[in-house]
Amino acid sequence: RIETTSEGTDKVVRVDGDLRGPTASSELRRVCEAIEDRLKIDLVNLLSFDPEGVQTLRSLAQGGAELIRVSPYVDMILGRETIKTETS
């Protein structure tokens, strides 16, 4: 499920549940591309995704969308998390 709300002057698109298959990814892209205001994509309720969903999120983020409330696992899959190693 994809839902749009306003947060001040920003538009927030919330993705609930699964982001799997061409229909879900194209719907998310269509909703996001129709928004002219500053865009945030809320992923707190994202449960699962496939490679197409990952590519869609990466593409939207590269296009200027801010991904918010992203779990560490989703961050890692999207390649947004830097793994730190500690040396002694």
Side-chain angles (χ1 to χ4, degrees):
R1 183 172 130 181
I2 298 169
E3 186 177 297
T4 305
T5 60
S6 292
E7 193 175 271
T9 59
D10 300 337
K11 293 290 184 189
V12 179
V13 173
R14 188 172 69 213
V15 181
D16 292 335
D18 299 326
L19 185 57
R20 292 181 173 275
T23 302
S25 291
S26 64
E27 177 67 9
L28 177 60
R29 186 176 301 283
R30 184 191 65 74
V31 167
C32 291
E33 289 176 351
I35 294 173
E36 295 179 8
D37 298 327
R38 185 178 140 144
L39 173 62
K40 295 180 179 180
I41 302 174
D42 184 343
L43 300 177
V44 73
N45 292 322
L46 178 64
L47 299 177
S48 65
F49 44 86
D50 62 8
E52 188 168 352
V54 170
Q55 182 55 41
T56 298
L57 291 172
R58 284 181 181 150
S59 174
L60 291 167
Q62 289 171 350
E66 180 184 355
L67 304 181
I68 62 170
R69 301 190 329 153
V70 182
S71 74
Y73 175 71
V74 173
D75 257 341
M76 182 186 71
I77 296 298
L78 292 173
R80 296 181 352 138
E81 182 174 79
T82 303
I83 299 172
K84 298 176 185 173
T85 57
E86 188 172 309
T87 57
S88 21

